Structures are given as C-alpha cells and as structure tokens.
Amino acid sequence: MYRNSRPVGTGLDRRAFMRSGLGAIGLTAAGGPLLAACGSSSTTKPAASTKKDFGTLTYRLSWVENVEFAGAYIADHKGYYTAEGFSGFSIIPGGPSATPMETDVVTKKAIVGISSPDITGAAVAKGAPLKIIGAQYQKNPFVIMSMADKPIAMPEDMYGKKIGVQVANESVWNAFLAAAKLDASKITKVPVQFDPTPLTQGTVDGWFSFVTNEPVDLGMKGFKVTTMMLADHGYPLVSEVYIVRADVISAQRPMLKALLKAEIKGWTDNLVDPGLGASLTVGTYGKSLGLAVDEQTLESKAENKLILNAETKTNGILTVSDALIEQNMATLKTGGLALTANQLFDLSLLKEVYQENPGLITALPAVPSAA
C-alpha cells in the first residue's frame, strides 16, 4: 500500500528550501544505505523483462507529490519500473523541512533526484559529485504573470511597473535581469509571498511564478491572465532535471538506463493522456494534499508543453540538444557559475537508451499546440 510521509506545509515555495542547505553538501561523498520515505503503490506489476534486480528505486522529488512528477507515478502504476528490473519504488518527497535534493543524492539516500541546473550547478561548484543525465522541461517554467487587460508581453514592458518577486526567487530574478540586459533601476521590485492575490487587486503589475502553477490557479478562479516566459527572453535554463552521483553512471549504468527507459514510457503516457497523471496524483501519490483533478489536469497539460517540442519529438523526450546545453552554460556563467558542460551534464545514458530502443521515439504523440 502506498505510504505518504511528506512534510507538512505545502503552501511554501519550492525555491526556498531547494536553495537552502547547499553548503552542507560540500565535498561529502559518503553515505549510508538507501533509505525510503514512503512506499510504492499496491498496483499489480507485470513480470520483469530481465533477471536483473536493481532493488528499490529511491526517487527524490523536488517538491511535494503534485502532478509535476506524473511520469514517475505512471511508471510505477503501470509497472514500467518493475519491468525494467526494479523490485520497488519509493518516493522521497520534498517540502519545507526536507534536506536539499542534492544532499539526498550525494549521501546515497536517493538514487535519483529532480532539481534544476542552477541549484545542481551551485552544488557541483562546491564539490558535489553530481551529474545531470536528463531534463523533463525543455523550457524554463518561470514567467512574469500579468492581468490580461494590462499585459506584460516583453521584458521592457516591466519598466515603470511593480513586479512581485518572492525572496526565495530573487536569485533567478536577478539572473534574468542580467541575461535580458534589463535596467533594474527602471523596475520596482516588490517583496511578496506566494499568494498572487496582490496581482488581482492591482497592488503589483506583474508576478514572478511557474507557468504551471499560479496562472492555472488564477484561471480556475475566473481571472484572465497572461504570461511572459523567461525562456523566450534570455533565460533558457532547462528544468526538472534528473541528477545522480557521477560514480553511479559508470558503476551502475544498466540501472540508470532502466530508470530512464521507464521514465520515458511514463511521460509518454502522460503526453498522450494528461488526465492520467492528474488522476494518479489526486487519488494515490498526492492524495493527502487534497488536490483537485481538474486543476491538476490543467497543470499536466501545461507541463506537457514544456516537455515535448520539435527537438524532443525528433531526439526523444528528456534529451537536451548541444545548442541548448551551450545556452544553459552561458546563462549559468552570467549568474556566476563558471562550469563546463562536461562538469554538469552527461547525456550519454539517454543516447544509448534511444539507440537501443528507437520505438520510444516513434511512440511519442504530436507536439502539443502552443495555444
């Protein structure tokens, strides 16, 4: 039976705790045995396709168990992990009381974690032995949200305006200003919490958020909003990246390839039917959160547009093109992280998975409409 031991306090912003505690990672590479924060679902699994037993897949989420991780839920529910040789699936949820994802992976509490290039890059710069082996979101999910009758469509539209920015997101905000070559003195940054009500009341003109979260929430409440993607204006960081220990890539390569293959299948199913991930989120994996299926379905549809585009339709989901990696490294450098692509990314596993399983690409649906 699926057991949920997630931390309490889902109203807090992910970036607050994701960025906290990175210094604790340091050069530590030792760790105890793999731990489990919660058990897998009781869904009947098909027989494994190989005799290999990789044990339990311990999976560290970047946030609480919402639809953001639909691909993993589906992979567990449909038995894709089991078919690839895992004997179990154990989620370690994020939350305000959770340790950073990077720490959990470095100390071997989790085999894989979901994070972002800036956070993982900061850990690697401090000596953490980590690599990014794939990325769910090809476009960065951060946006400037504004009311539809007073749209902020271009970065320069923020000049003379008040923009609500959460303290935990200031590093991303500052990096975006630098990447977009904006004059910060012409924009009034207003410290806010995470409830976007001030935008609807006219207290601020713009709101810093994920495209999959607050815009969907306000839309469900009847407000007409518009969004400006940071990724379209100089901030191309991929997001929801898979991070693992660098030594595991060589020592347990078949296991990581099995993980990626199952993930690809799970996300492909969600691309075909975004309601599937939403239903599993609300009914099983995130049941204790009290989420609504209709709202989670809208978020699922929104994230699908970040996952599947022309490049990933051709190369396979979770892949990152050389050009996009180069853009990511340049953006990180703008933010003060002078790393090479090889220090942060290793996409050789995905390349092998698709070479060995070309049907994973042909199974992908059409690219979602931008509308």
Side-chain angles (χ1 to χ4, degrees), residues 133-145:
I133 61 170
Q136 292 170 15
Y137 295 173
Q138 298 297 300
K139 291 191 73 170
N140 193 277
F142 275 106
V143 300
I144 300 298
M145 176 174 63

Side-chain angles (χ1 to χ4, degrees), residues 2 276-288 291-293 296:
Y2 185 77
L276 175 58
S279 296
L280 290 173
T281 299
V282 174
T284 303
Y285 298 88
K287 187 174 182 178
S288 64
L291 302 170
V293 172
Q296 289 293 287

Side-chain angles (χ1 to χ4, degrees), residues 115-181:
S115 188
S116 62
D118 53 337
I119 296 175
T120 301
V124 170
K126 293 177 181 179
L130 299 170
K131 294 280 189 179
I132 293 172
I133 61 170
Q136 292 170 15
Y137 295 173
Q138 298 297 300
K139 291 191 73 170
N140 193 277
F142 275 106
V143 300
I144 300 298
M145 176 174 63
S146 56
M147 302 307 292
D149 59 349
K150 297 180 180 179
I152 294 175
M154 298 293 293
E156 291 77 11
D157 292 344
M158 293 190 291
Y159 286 164
K161 303 279 180 64
K162 296 179 180 179
I163 309 298
V165 180
Q166 304 80 9
V167 172
N169 290 331
E170 284 192 359
S171 60
V172 180
W173 166 255
N174 291 331
F176 171 62
L177 293 181
K181 298 179 173 58

Side-chain angles (χ1 to χ4, degrees), residues 53-90:
D53 182 2
F54 297 125
T56 297
L57 172 60
T58 42
Y59 195 112
R60 175 60 157 85
L61 308 184
S62 59
W63 192 232
V64 295
E65 305 97 313
N66 63 12
V67 78
E68 233 170 274
F69 314 101
Y73 305 155
I74 295 171
D76 177 47
H77 177 75
K78 288 198 170 185
Y80 296 149
Y81 293 134
T82 304
E84 292 304 320
F86 291 100
S87 59
F89 173 64
S90 182

Side-chain angles (χ1 to χ4, degrees), residues 178-190:
K181 298 179 173 58
L182 294 172
D183 184 348
S185 68
K186 296 182 179 180
I187 305 171
T188 301
K189 182 185 67 177
V190 179

Side-chain angles (χ1 to χ4, degrees), residues 15-250:
R15 304 289 295 195
F17 76 88
M18 285 168 70
R19 290 191 174 281
S20 67
L22 287 178
I25 298 174
L27 299 175
T28 302
L34 297 176
L35 303 178
C38 55
S40 63
S41 70
S42 58
T43 304
T44 300
K45 308 295 193 296
S49 60
T50 72
K51 294 181 180 180
K52 294 181 180 179
D53 182 2
F54 297 125
T56 297
L57 172 60
T58 42
Y59 195 112
R60 175 60 157 85
L61 308 184
S62 59
W63 192 232
V64 295
E65 305 97 313
N66 63 12
V67 78
E68 233 170 274
F69 314 101
Y73 305 155
I74 295 171
D76 177 47
H77 177 75
K78 288 198 170 185
Y80 296 149
Y81 293 134
T82 304
E84 292 304 320
F86 291 100
S87 59
F89 173 64
S90 182
I91 290 174
I92 303 176
S97 63
T99 54
M101 295 80 64
E102 282 72 12
T103 299
D104 283 346
V105 176
V106 167
T107 60
K108 302 182 181 180
K109 185 177 181 181
I111 292 173
V112 63
I114 305 299
S115 188
S116 62
D118 53 337
I119 296 175
T120 301
V124 170
K126 293 177 181 179
L130 299 170
K131 294 280 189 179
I132 293 172
I133 61 170
Q136 292 170 15
Y137 295 173
Q138 298 297 300
K139 291 191 73 170
N140 193 277
F142 275 106
V143 300
I144 300 298
M145 176 174 63
S146 56
M147 302 307 292
D149 59 349
K150 297 180 180 179
I152 294 175
M154 298 293 293
E156 291 77 11
D157 292 344
M158 293 190 291
Y159 286 164
K161 303 279 180 64
K162 296 179 180 179
I163 309 298
V165 180
Q166 304 80 9
V167 172
N169 290 331
E170 284 192 359
S171 60
V172 180
W173 166 255
N174 291 331
F176 171 62
L177 293 181
K181 298 179 173 58
L182 294 172
D183 184 348
S185 68
K186 296 182 179 180
I187 305 171
T188 301
K189 182 185 67 177
V190 179
V192 295
Q193 298 300 316
F194 306 103
D195 178 356
T197 299
L199 177 66
T200 66
Q201 296 176 336
T203 305
V204 296
D205 304 296
W207 193 265
F208 206 68
S209 75
F210 260 31
V211 70
T212 56
N213 296 144
E214 289 95 322
V216 173
D217 179 52
L218 289 186
M220 291 287 292
K221 294 176 180 177
F223 293 100
K224 294 182 179 181
V225 300
T226 187
T227 56
M228 180 191 75
M229 300 285 297
L230 270 57
D232 294 333
H233 300 281
Y235 197 76
L237 290 190
V238 293
S239 192
E240 299 296 272
V241 298
Y242 295 85
I243 61 170
V244 300
R245 285 176 56 98
D247 58 341
V248 176
I249 295 176
S250 56

